[in-house]
């Protein structure tokens, strides 16, 4: 049973996670410093350092679930403490190595260990699996997500709407895919393709982490499975130039600073979610598609960016499903094993309808 939840990291996404959770659970939010919002938050806020193991052990032991909206490199310690304390654990990480570590913890956990509960990885995998479930034999699953400024300018056509650390990490690390029925590693920022959505031109290319555990799940069952990030045309070329030709892959911190300085955060954003699956049913080859364009929305009188609410709502909906018993109460949860219908029928998941 989940009654009280500890939310770590009170940036835009972490704060909204707390807001949404507080509608059904008792919530405590924690960050290094108290967040400065022009309105009162509907949950208790405390300050503290997540690197303080003694403090975190005490806090986590006092809660039924902990949510990490922290940078991926801080998640291992939090997940370990949660596992040791029998506390449900959820996060938003796109980092493959971190997820592998948490999955190892889940083998002896008495609670849920559920990383990758955001947008991509997260709900995009739930959608991709949903599109494929009616097929007797699957040919392909292709998933594409873009978190973009609504009004792009400049050659890069980008502004940061979420963690620069996360963006750089997924651009530099290799991605996983299944091509010609074989599971393989592909280089991020490669595989560029053109996409036209409702008359607008975009490009998409490989980035790491977006598939979560899907390559393992569909290994031997599909000819093609991949995930790509959607951007405005020209972005991929410039990022390749920075990361590979200028060798900035060897200095992530400097690359993050350059990008954050050049493309500061904007409030007007759009999240594009697109997935397609092909397969055979009753002897016929068929194609299922999903597309949704998400814009900023108001929640309790406050406006939240598209990237914030889509990410937060995906995670909170999964917590609701664990709490109501529609997901297991312990062990590792794969996103692709979550029912899209059940997620959309939760209080928070209904935001995607």
């Amino acid at each position: 049973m989940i009654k009280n939840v500890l939310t770590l990291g009170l940036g835009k996404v972490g704060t909204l996670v707390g807001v949404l959770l507080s509608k059904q659970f008792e919530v405590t939010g924690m960050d290094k410093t108290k967040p400065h919002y022009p309105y009162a938050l509907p949950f208790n806020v405390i300050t503290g350092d997540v690197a303080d193991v003694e403090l975190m052990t005490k806090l986590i032991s006092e809660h039924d679930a902990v949510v990490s909206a922290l940078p991926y490199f801080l998640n291992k310690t939090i997940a370990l403490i949660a596992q040791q304390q029998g506390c449900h654990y959820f996060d938003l990480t796109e980092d493959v190595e971190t997820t592998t570590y948490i999955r190892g913890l889940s083998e002896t956990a008495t609670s849920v260990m559920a990383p990758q509960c955001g947008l991509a990885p997260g709900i995009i995998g739930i959608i991709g699996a949903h599109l494929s479930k009616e097929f007797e034999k699957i040919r392909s699953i292709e998933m594409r997500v873009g978190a973009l400024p609504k009004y792009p300018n400049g050659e890069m056509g980008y502004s940061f709407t979420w963690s620069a650390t996360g963006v750089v990490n997924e651009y530099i690390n290799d991605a996983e895919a299944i091509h010609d029925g074989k599971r393989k590693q592909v280089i991020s920022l490669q595989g560029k393709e053109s996409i036209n959505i409702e008359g607008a031109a975009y490009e998409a290319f490989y980035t790491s982490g977006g598939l979560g555990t899907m390559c393992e799940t569909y290994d031997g069952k599909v000819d093609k499975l991949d995930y790509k990030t959607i951007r405005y045309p020209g972005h991929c070329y410039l990022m390749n130039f920075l990361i590979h030709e200028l060798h900035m892959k060897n200095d992530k911190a400097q690359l993050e600073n350059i990008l954050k300085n050049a493309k500061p955060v904007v409030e007007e954003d759009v999240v594009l979610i697109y997935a397609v699956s092909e397969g055979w049913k009753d002897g016929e080859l068929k194609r299922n598609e999903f597309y949704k364009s998400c814009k900023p929305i108001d929640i309790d009188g406050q406006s939240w960016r598209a990237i914030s609410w889509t990410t937060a709502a995906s995670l909170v909906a999964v917590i609701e499903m664990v709490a109501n018993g529609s997901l297991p109460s312990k062990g590792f949860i794969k996103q692709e094993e979550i029912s899209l219908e059940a997620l959309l029928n939760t209080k928070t998941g209904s935001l995607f309808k």
Side-chain angles (χ1 to χ4, degrees):
M1 183 173 290
I2 299 178
K3 290 185 177 180
N4 51 44
V5 183
L6 175 66
T7 299
L8 304 176
L10 296 178
K12 293 289 188 181
V13 173
T15 299
L16 183 53
V17 167
V19 169
L20 294 172
L21 284 171
S22 68
K23 297 177 182 296
Q24 301 174 71
F25 308 99
E26 183 181 331
V27 177
T28 298
M30 176 181 149
D31 210 324
K32 263 192 173 181
T33 58
K34 211 164 187 177
H36 298 286
Y37 287 98
Y39 47 86
L41 295 175
F43 56 89
N44 182 42
V45 175
I46 60 174
T47 58
D49 188 351
V50 295
D52 185 336
V53 174
E54 184 177 347
L55 171 64
M56 296 315 302
T57 300
K58 179 179 183 298
L59 283 172
I60 290 173
S61 70
E62 295 170 348
H63 291 82
D64 302 316
V66 58
V67 175
S68 174
L70 300 165
Y72 71 91
F73 52 82
L74 295 172
N75 285 341
K76 286 184 180 179
T77 300
I78 302 302
L80 175 60
I81 295 171
Q83 188 249 27
Q84 292 171 338
Q85 298 299 318
C87 178
H88 297 310
Y89 172 86
F90 306 86
D91 76 27
L92 301 163
T93 188
E94 78 292 334
D95 187 68
V96 175
E97 196 270 334
T98 300
T99 298
T100 300
Y101 173 83
I102 294 170
R103 188 170 185 180
L105 295 177
S106 73
E107 294 175 2
T108 55
T110 59
S111 57
V112 164
M113 305 299 287
Q116 305 183 318
C117 292
L119 180 59
I123 196 170
I124 188 62
I126 299 171
I127 292 167
H130 172 78
L131 295 178
S132 309
K133 69 179 184 179
E134 72 173 69
F135 296 138
E136 295 148 11
K137 182 181 178 182
I138 308 167
R139 180 162 78 173
S140 63
I141 308 173
E142 300 174 50
M143 290 159 288
R144 311 289 186 255
V145 173
L148 302 166
K150 186 177 181 180
Y151 307 111
N153 72 324
E155 292 188 38
M156 192 172 289
Y158 192 68
S159 293
F160 281 96
T161 57
W162 66 290
S163 164
T165 300
V167 172
V168 168
N169 190 54
E170 69 175 24
Y171 281 1
I172 289 177
N173 293 338
D174 288 347
E176 197 173 12
I178 295 175
H179 289 161
D180 297 324
K182 296 179 181 177
R183 191 173 169 184
K184 60 179 67 175
Q185 296 292 116
V186 294
I187 299 172
S188 289
L189 295 172
Q190 301 301 306
K192 188 178 75 170
E193 66 185 33
S194 298
I195 296 181
N196 190 292
I197 300 175
E198 296 184 332
Y202 303 94
E203 64 185 24
F205 46 85
Y206 300 128
T207 54
S208 71
L211 286 177
T213 56
M214 290 187 76
C215 283
E216 174 190 312
T217 299
Y218 288 94
D219 191 12
K221 301 175 183 177
V222 64
D223 184 67
K224 181 182 181 181
L225 169 69
D226 60 25
Y227 168 82
K228 295 182 181 181
T229 288
I230 299 172
R231 294 287 185 257
Y232 293 110
H235 183 90
C236 184
Y237 170 80
L238 291 172
M239 293 310 303
N240 266 304
F241 175 77
L242 280 171
I243 290 171
H244 298 296
E245 190 162 339
L246 297 187
H247 301 282
M248 296 202 71
K249 64 181 182 294
N250 300 319
D251 192 345
K252 290 184 180 181
Q254 185 180 7
L255 179 57
E256 288 174 31
N257 289 332
I258 289 172
L259 292 174
K260 286 190 292 186
N261 181 65
K263 297 295 178 181
V265 171
V266 294
E267 294 300 320
E268 290 291 331
D269 70 330
V270 59
V271 168
L272 307 178
I273 304 173
Y274 173 72
V276 57
S277 181
E278 296 178 348
W280 287 267
K281 183 180 180 182
D282 300 326
E284 292 185 15
L285 181 62
K286 297 187 177 182
R287 178 183 176 95
N288 290 333
E289 293 179 308
F290 178 98
Y291 169 69
K292 187 171 181 65
S293 174
C294 304
K295 300 175 182 179
I297 62 172
D298 282 352
I299 297 174
D300 296 341
Q302 307 298 329
S303 179
W304 296 92
R305 292 194 302 250
I307 185 62
S308 298
W309 79 256
T310 53
T311 303
S314 302
L315 184 148
V316 173
V318 172
I319 295 175
E320 284 188 57
M321 294 174 72
V322 172
N324 68 26
S326 57
L327 283 175
S329 61
K330 70 174 183 177
F332 187 81
I333 293 178
K334 289 184 175 183
Q335 297 297 303
E336 60 270 21
E337 293 175 350
I338 297 172
S339 163
L340 179 61
E341 297 98 328
L343 183 142
L344 295 177
N345 285 329
T346 63
K347 183 173 182 178
T348 309
S350 65
L351 290 172
F352 286 98
K353 289 184 176 178

